[in-house]
Amino acid sequence: EKEELSSSVIGKCWGRALIKKGNLELVYQDFRAQMFEPFGSPKVMECHNEKIAKDADDSFIQNAADTWVEMFRDKDSWPDVIFMFVLYDNVGHGRDGLFFTHLEHFMSKIPPSWNGTLLLADRFWSAIGVTHRSYHKYHLYLEEINEMVHALNDTRVRWLDGMGISREMVMYSEYGPDGIGASQHFHGFCDVPYLEDMGQNNTMRVCGNVTEILGQLLLSHALGTKKQFDLEKLEEPKDEALEYCHACPLALTPFKLVAYPEVTCSEGKLHPRNDDEVYSFKAKQKICPQWCLEHEVDEVIPSQSDMINIRRCKVDLADVTTSSIESASAAKVKSQVTPAKDKPTKPIMHTFFESVVGGCCGMSQEQHEQLLKAWKESWEARGWETMILTAQDARKHKDFGTLEKKLISLEINEYNRRCYWRWLAMVEAGGGWISDYDVFPLELTAELGAEMGKNGTFKAFDNHVPSLIHASSNEWDRVIHLMMDLLPNKRADDTVISDMYSLLEVSKSSSKNSIVWSYRVKTSINYTKGSDSLSLDCSKYSKQLAIHFSHHLCKRAASAQVFPLANVTIDEAVARRAEAALLLMDDYRNCQDRHDDEHVLPKKSLRSFVNYNDTSVNKSDVYFRVIQSMSTKKNNSSNPNITAPTPPILVEVINARNPENYEYTVTISSNKIYTGTALQVKSTKHNATNSFRHIFRWIPSFPGEYKIFVHQVLNGVHKDPLNRQPTPLVSPSPLSIIVGQQKGGGNVFEISSEATMERIEDRIRKSVPCQTVNRVDAYSKWSGDWVGPDTPFQDHSIRTGWRFLPRDMGCHIESFSRRDLLSISKKKSIWVLGTSVFRGVFLSLVDLILSPDEKEELSS
């Protein structure tokens, strides 16, 4: 059945593929979320090099929505499990508005009575983006995806932690160690036998540990627990004839996402794609018109055979049809080419300020100007450009007069009218970032701001308080008009009207809630009072973008005697905000450095077991050493039965190159026993040599001999498939270490006496199957150990003998054999919606269910 898997239509499908065997149906639909347009966005033609990849009149988001309607059109054929690719690239940016716009639209199509499971995953499970493996960014990612999946508020939905799934196998996939940092297909066409202890000696055609474990996860949600399945399955497997259908274009472009496609169906073993199938699905390739080719390149991405220059050209389809675009490069298109603008090298933080003669609001005119100066210095110290907007900018907006007339009629004072003006000023400034001039940066550096600013969705980081916002010019304009529409016609006596309350009204309007709301602005001061001084508690400022020195914050801190300035009254605290803010900025920076030193590299008892000689390591080059912080037995506890946890093993990369150009990964491996990675927890610069030092952290789960591989990755190494730069090993890779339970000494690293294979086996045996965990965040932190065939953990291993052992997920992943799948007593359906990386999961399931002769031509 699968002998020709690699050469079949199913093997590389950019459309729809369906496999049915017995009572199990597997469906793959190419579903590229990165192509989905924002609702209501301008029509855009997309060209890849000289060819049109997407016609301007194609609506991917509409076709995707239609595909969802198709999945649920007939209750008898509802899928039991859907595994879907969603776009979430904005780590550190807070809740992603585009993500929610798409996903909430799809979820609205799900019938309330559907009892299936929707599993979501992003591009990170393809191992793309080594930079996101730092401890800080990974945990920020975990926080954000948990926040988003809880916001969906649907127990049928699970999010798969992509970074957690992929990172352990980064050396063992499509490109191997030379492709670290690239987007990985965690499967490949192969020809290897099952392990004998896995039952039948069937040939595997699709090999990949990550894709197969995810395939087993989909099966477990479709079939229930093994215990339940064994009670319901057929007494004897029914090896019925294979049925398969397909509507698969020959090439990836032009992109097509078609609901209700016309499919060709066959019965029997897979066969190589024949001439009829080649030509029936060969789409007419259109040439990109000259006017669009003259557009500046928006993005460069790799394919497996070429570098792709992507141009996205706006088209006014009211005046120009697709055929006229094809035939005439001189066609008059209203918005053919967006002229290139000189982009600043740094992002701009705006604020709005109009000097008030005599001052106001508890501050003199001079004190307001001092606060503005402190704001400017603080943001520029974090790498930003700053720009101060005024009433003159606001008056450029065509609706300034309309807004001002409305506000005056409502008897709004000048201070609150100015707060509305800044919205119009931001439209005229071209959009971007704005903060109140009493908002000061914490974690929001220029680098992070530039990344977060790539998405123009309206993002309010202090919920409805407009103290820190980012949006495109169009979004600023859209939201201020929503606020204007919600202004009352007449003001009641006790009604407070300000831009803050107007934004609050917008947040209550679900029909207009395409805004990303988050709480990432600090609204309190956390100093600890000592006998004669204050010390800043930096742990209270973790993951906060900025702090708002509002009137309320200053009054509250002064009242509690934790204001940065000593011995001030409440009124003085408000008036002297500039001084206080600058003091807190200094304390925050100092505390950050001190916090890193204490928590990453304890000053007490560091020991190194790796000794280098002059021939093994050139100390002027990049190299690494392995160190471990000494644990204290009993874990400082009075209970003698409590054993200290395993102290972390730290890998220190020395003389590292500039992180703007180079990154480093640390993989720990033990042949056929274990593979894992260390997370980067600290990076410091050595100014004298202009080099860097990176610290990676790993905690072993059981004793044994391990090898440590440190790879140096050139940023963008995966972006040129035709001229792939190697990811070289850093000396002394591979470095062998021994982790043992005896007390240090020699080259043995210490591990807790509780960390044994037996303890892990006992923990797994007592845990529940993952498909029974009724929590939306069940897979939102994918943590555990990959253990190989030379360990005792053979129950529920995949066909290669490897098994994923969850650590703190509180459950274990069961696996199903081909015999199980042929014994399914009721119809089950699994849909996979995604890119070629997701297609690997579909192919792993196809490979699992088919006999060797059925899948002989699978890959073709």
Side-chain angles (χ1 to χ4, degrees):
E1 288 176 321
K2 62 184 178 183
E3 188 176 3
E4 299 293 343
L5 175 61
S6 63
S7 59
S8 70
V9 175
I10 303 298
K12 203 166 189 177
C13 180
W14 286 293
R16 174 76 60 84
L18 180 148
I19 289 279
K20 186 175 180 183
K21 182 81 170 175
N23 280 321
L24 181 61
E25 177 186 76
L26 306 170
V27 182
Y28 173 74
Q29 172 64 56
D30 199 79
F31 197 84
R32 298 176 183 268
Q34 70 270 32
M35 300 297 295
F36 296 166
E37 315 90 342
F39 289 101
S41 62
K43 303 271 186 174
V44 173
M45 170 191 292
E46 182 166 314
C47 290
H48 289 194
N49 294 340
E50 76 284 359
K51 297 176 181 177
I52 294 178
K54 174 181 175 295
D55 274 325
D57 54 354
D58 279 345
S59 174
F60 269 56
I61 189 65
Q62 184 58 55
N63 293 344
D66 291 345
T67 300
W68 271 73
V69 173
E70 177 194 357
M71 282 193 293
F72 292 104
R73 71 188 186 280
D74 181 359
K75 189 170 184 178
D76 292 336
S77 62
W78 283 358
D80 297 277
V81 176
I82 303 168
F83 179 39
M84 186 177 81
F85 167 42
V86 291
L87 188 64
Y88 182 66
D89 287 347
N90 295 335
V91 177
H93 303 186
R95 180 172 165 177
D96 187 304
L98 195 59
F99 164 84
F100 267 89
T101 300
H102 292 159
L103 192 58
E104 288 175 344
H105 186 79
F106 296 143
M107 289 183 63
S108 69
K109 309 291 183 185
I110 300 178
S113 58
W114 181 62
N115 338 334
T117 304
L118 171 60
L119 291 157
L120 306 173
D122 55 28
R123 287 196 282 206
F124 287 118
W125 89 260
S126 73
I128 192 169
V130 174
T131 54
H132 293 293
R133 297 232 175 72
S134 72
Y135 182 86
H136 169 72
K137 282 195 175 180
Y138 178 50
H139 283 270
L140 189 58
Y141 170 80
L142 294 181
E143 285 186 7
E144 290 179 359
I145 62 175
N146 271 289
E147 177 187 342
M148 288 190 294
V149 80
H150 278 100
L152 293 172
N153 195 30
D154 192 324
T155 57
R156 298 172 296 182
V157 180
R158 303 285 186 277
W159 180 287
L160 298 177
D161 163 20
M163 298 188 199
I165 290 170
S166 66
R167 69 175 185 266
E168 318 294 356
M169 288 288 171
V170 71
M171 279 178 58
Y172 309 101
S173 54
E174 183 181 19
Y175 298 116
D178 285 341
I180 288 179
S183 176
Q184 304 274 5
H185 293 174
F186 280 105
H187 69 282
F189 292 114
C190 58
D191 192 356
V192 298
Y194 280 94
L195 297 175
E196 291 183 6
D197 57 4
M198 291 300 290
Q200 305 168 31
N201 186 26
N202 287 347
T203 297
M204 290 178 64
R205 294 290 183 190
V206 180
C207 297
N209 290 338
V210 175
T211 47
E212 186 146 330
I213 199 70
L214 287 180
Q216 288 291 348
L217 187 65
L218 303 189
L219 287 172
S220 69
H221 278 278
L223 305 182
T225 66
K226 286 300 292 285
K227 183 177 180 181
Q228 173 189 344
F229 177 79
D230 288 340
L231 293 174
E232 299 176 354
K233 69 181 182 181
L234 301 174
E235 291 186 8
E236 288 296 325
K238 292 178 63 177
D239 197 353
E240 298 178 352
L242 163 68
E243 298 176 48
Y244 63 100
C245 302
H246 50 85
C248 301
L250 182 63
L252 173 62
T253 58
F255 293 117
K256 289 292 180 187
L257 173 55
V258 180
Y260 310 98
E262 295 183 13
V263 297
T264 300
C265 296
S266 303
E267 187 173 294
K269 63 183 289 184
L270 294 173
H271 61 264
R273 187 192 288 260
N274 57 43
D275 289 344
D276 290 339
E277 291 167 336
V278 168
Y279 290 106
S280 62
F281 298 120
K282 190 172 183 179
K284 180 183 177 184
Q285 189 71 68
K286 300 173 184 177
I287 301 301
C288 186
Q290 186 61 36
W291 63 264
C292 188
L293 289 174
E294 293 171 359
H295 190 290
E296 67 174 314
V297 174
D298 292 289
E299 187 179 0
V300 179
I301 62 170
S303 72
Q304 291 180 310
S305 59
D306 199 1
M307 293 302 298
I308 307 296
N309 292 313
I310 297 177
R311 294 174 173 85
R312 299 183 180 96
C313 307
K314 294 181 181 179
V315 175
D316 187 338
L317 291 180
D319 292 351
V320 183
T321 64
T322 302
S323 59
S324 65
I325 291 172
E326 285 181 309
S327 61
S329 62
K332 294 183 179 179
V333 181
K334 284 188 177 179
S335 53
Q336 317 180 341
V337 180
T338 303
K341 296 180 179 179
D342 292 332
K343 297 180 180 179
T345 55
K346 299 177 182 179
I348 299 173
M349 181 59 71
H350 300 83
T351 197
F352 186 90
F353 179 78
E354 276 287 321
S355 183
V356 179
V357 178
C360 75
C361 320
M363 297 173 67
S364 68
Q365 180 178 346
E366 182 182 5
Q367 287 168 334
H368 276 289
E369 291 169 357
Q370 288 172 349
L371 184 59
L372 182 66
K373 181 181 178 183
W375 171 89
K376 178 179 174 67
E377 290 176 358
S378 297
W379 285 100
E380 289 178 357
R382 302 308 295 272
W384 291 78
E385 297 281 353
T386 56
M387 182 175 292
I388 300 167
L389 302 174
T390 66
Q392 185 176 356
D393 297 291
R395 288 191 176 95
K396 296 175 184 176
H397 195 285
K398 61 183 178 62
D399 294 326
F400 177 83
T402 303
L403 174 62
E404 183 68 351
K405 182 178 179 181
K406 178 73 172 178
L407 296 176
I408 291 173
S409 72
L410 293 170
E411 299 179 350
I412 310 300
N413 62 36
E414 187 174 0
Y415 173 81
N416 278 318
R417 296 207 310 275
R418 287 174 176 168
C419 292
Y420 284 97
W421 295 354
R422 59 181 169 175
W423 295 73
L424 302 181
M426 281 302 295
V427 176
E428 294 303 309
W433 287 93
I434 192 173
S435 76
D436 285 343
Y437 62 94
D438 57 359
V439 170
F440 290 77
L442 295 174
E443 292 198 356
L444 188 51
T445 62
E447 180 184 14
L448 180 57
E451 281 296 311
M452 295 172 72
K454 290 179 178 177
N455 183 340
T457 306
F458 196 98
K459 297 179 281 291
F461 295 99
D462 198 4
N463 202 36
H464 69 279
V465 180
S467 67
L468 182 65
I469 292 174
H470 178 273
S472 67
S473 178
N474 288 340
E475 282 288 274
W476 276 104
D477 200 52
R478 179 181 70 86
V479 176
I480 183 56
H481 280 88
L482 292 178
M483 293 162 63
M484 291 167 63
D485 292 343
L486 292 170
L487 286 170
N489 292 322
K490 186 176 181 181
R491 181 177 183 177
D493 291 341
D494 58 347
T495 301
V496 178
I497 298 179
S498 70
D499 68 334
M500 180 179 76
Y501 285 101
S502 290
L503 190 58
L504 177 62
E505 290 304 310
V506 170
S507 74
K508 294 176 181 177
S509 177
S510 60
S511 64
K512 304 180 182 74
N513 192 14
S514 56
I515 294 175
V516 183
W517 309 96
S518 63
Y519 291 96
R520 301 197 62 194
V521 175
K522 183 75 173 167
T523 57
S524 62
I525 291 177
N526 298 95
Y527 277 94
T528 302
K529 289 189 288 186
S531 57
D532 58 356
S533 64
L534 295 175
S535 61
L536 191 67
D537 182 0
C538 274
S539 64
K540 302 294 186 182
Y541 294 77
S542 176
K543 302 175 183 65
Q544 298 296 303
L545 296 177
I547 181 169
H548 188 188
F549 266 82
S550 64
H551 290 72
H552 179 66
L553 174 143
C554 294
K555 291 177 180 179
R556 192 172 56 190
S559 178
Q561 297 182 351
V562 292
F563 196 66
L565 299 174
N567 303 319
V568 293
T569 66
I570 290 177
D571 290 342
E572 288 172 338
V574 171
R576 298 175 63 185
R577 282 186 286 170
E579 299 171 67
L582 291 175
L583 279 174
L584 189 141
M585 290 293 97
D586 287 340
D587 290 341
Y588 176 74
R589 284 190 290 270
N590 293 335
C591 192
Q592 272 191 313
D593 294 339
R594 188 166 64 252
H595 183 269
D596 286 344
D597 288 340
E598 290 173 354
H599 289 80
V600 178
L601 284 175
K603 294 178 181 178
K604 60 180 182 180
S605 303
L606 279 177
R607 63 170 178 244
S608 172
F609 295 102
V610 182
N611 298 315
Y612 308 111
N613 57 50
D614 293 337
T615 59
S616 63
V617 175
N618 184 341
K619 296 298 181 67
S620 64
D621 292 337
V622 184
Y623 69 98
F624 73 90
R625 64 177 182 140
V626 185
I627 53 183
Q628 185 175 39
S629 57
M630 299 282 284
S631 69
T632 54
K633 293 297 178 183
K634 312 292 188 297
N635 198 24
N636 297 322
S637 170
S638 58
N639 186 345
N641 296 319
I642 296 179
T643 305
T646 299
I649 292 175
L650 306 174
V651 178
E652 182 181 16
V653 180
I654 302 167
N655 293 337
R657 299 189 182 184
N658 191 325
E660 291 184 3
N661 302 317
Y662 292 91
E663 297 154 358
Y664 296 84
T665 63
V666 177
T667 305
I668 298 95
S669 180
S670 182
N671 188 35
K672 294 187 178 181
I673 294 177
Y674 173 87
T675 180
T677 53
L679 281 172
Q680 183 177 331
V681 292
K682 186 176 181 183
S683 178
T684 57
K685 183 178 180 180
H686 187 261
N687 290 324
T689 61
N690 200 32
S691 64
F692 291 78
R693 175 174 140 248
H694 305 307
I695 304 293
F696 295 79
R697 184 175 182 266
W698 173 65
I699 299 179
S701 296
F702 44 81
E705 184 174 355
Y706 298 87
K707 289 185 177 179
I708 297 178
F709 299 82
V710 178
H711 285 91
Q712 176 176 280
V713 184
L714 178 67
N715 278 346
V717 66
H718 56 290
K719 293 185 177 180
D720 188 351
L722 302 180
N723 184 26
R724 182 174 297 279
Q725 298 293 318
T727 49
L729 285 168
V730 172
S731 183
S733 301
L735 175 68
S736 294
I737 64 168
I738 296 173
V739 175
Q741 291 174 345
Q742 56 268 48
K743 292 183 180 180
N747 282 340
V748 179
F749 288 77
E750 185 178 344
I751 192 171
S752 166
S753 60
E754 298 293 302
T756 64
M757 294 274 193
E758 293 75 16
R759 288 279 186 179
I760 295 175
E761 193 170 21
D762 184 60
R763 184 190 80 215
I764 299 300
R765 188 173 62 251
K766 291 178 180 178
S767 67
V768 299
C770 285
Q771 63 268 38
T772 67
V773 178
N774 192 27
R775 297 195 327 269
V776 294
D777 60 353
Y779 312 130
S780 297
K781 182 179 180 183
W782 190 277
S783 65
D785 300 294
W786 275 100
V787 295
D790 288 357
T791 61
F793 310 118
Q794 290 306 308
D795 287 344
H796 299 300
S797 60
I798 58 177
R799 292 177 294 170
T800 58
W802 283 82
R803 183 181 175 187
F804 180 76
L805 304 178
R807 187 178 302 115
D808 50 13
M809 293 163 64
C811 63
H812 64 270
I813 299 173
E814 296 186 316
S815 63
F816 295 82
S817 66
R818 180 172 185 266
R819 183 180 178 87
D820 288 331
L821 302 189
L822 296 177
S823 304
I824 298 173
S825 59
K826 299 176 183 177
K827 181 187 174 185
K828 298 292 179 181
S829 177
I830 296 173
W831 281 62
V832 178
L833 311 175
T835 62
S836 54
V837 180
F838 289 72
R839 187 169 64 218
V841 178
F842 166 76
L843 290 173
S844 288
L845 291 172
V846 170
D847 185 39
L848 182 62
I849 195 174
L850 300 188
S851 67
D853 63 310
E854 283 178 321
K855 62 185 178 183
E856 184 178 8
E857 297 287 350
L858 176 60
S859 65
S860 60

